[in-house]
Amino acid sequence: MPVAIVNFMFKWQELVGAALGPFLAIMLAGIGYWIKSWIGSRAELREHLRQCEISTSRSINDLYDAREELKGFVERLNTVIASIRGTTNPSAYCLQDTNFAPLTDVFRDASLPAGKIRSYYLHNKILFLDAGLKNINSSIEKLRLEYDNLRKKNELMVTLKAPPLEQRETYAANLESFASLIGKFTQYVDSGIRTIVQTKVYLSKQRQNKRWFIWKHEGRSFKFYLSRKSMDKFHRHLDAIDRIDEVLKTEVNALLKETERRAEEKYRNA
């Protein structure tokens, strides 16, 4: 082989090696960065899911506390109402009352909606829960103020010497309406409890890495859709939430029954 050709081949190899070396270094650095980012992202997701579990547990405990305190308050209200209704003295005024339920704000982790979940269903449940807890806390304060106003109006009727029978009837009717309002509010609290239980059931599946279940109900790949609209309806629509709610119904009811049992036992022994 001519010397010139050999020299050319050596120079060509040196040129390729000089160009390939930095390229491989950049490529390996890129792969390393991607792996590091992926590991960091997975760790961040696991930590957020763990925080969701802790926060929802605190919230559901507070909701049960609030519900039971409100039930006790309604029982005391009914006792007061019975006392007023049982008054027969035509000249008697009634000022009986009872203290409002000793409630504090239900725990609400405002950071949860901002975290990455990688689940349309779970993300929306957390949004629903966040809005619901915010509304419950503001409603508790409004109920407390409304009850104070109700008592002040009754005191004013007595101060202004309204006819005793009218005063008693008005006061009893107002207390009955307020007790009914509290009853409706506790139903709203129950819906919040159910939302948390649904969230916890799905959280458990994510934390246990049940990929088949999650892919089956939220995955996009390897599925046939007639149109983009049908695909979005399956994955990014409120219908998808209702569909998964139905799938989780048996597990949710079982967990809800267990949490109700524990709550009943807790307050029975309190």
Side-chain angles (χ1 to χ4, degrees), residues 19-37:
L20 191 60
F23 173 76
L24 289 175
I26 293 172
M27 185 175 68
L28 290 174
I31 293 173
Y33 176 79
W34 178 81
I35 293 173
K36 183 179 179 181
S37 298

Side-chain angles (χ1 to χ4, degrees), residues 26 101 129 150 152 165 168 172 216 226 264:
I26 293 172
L129 180 59
L150 186 155
K152 288 176 182 177
L165 179 59
R168 295 197 305 269
K216 180 180 178 181
L226 294 175
E264 181 181 348

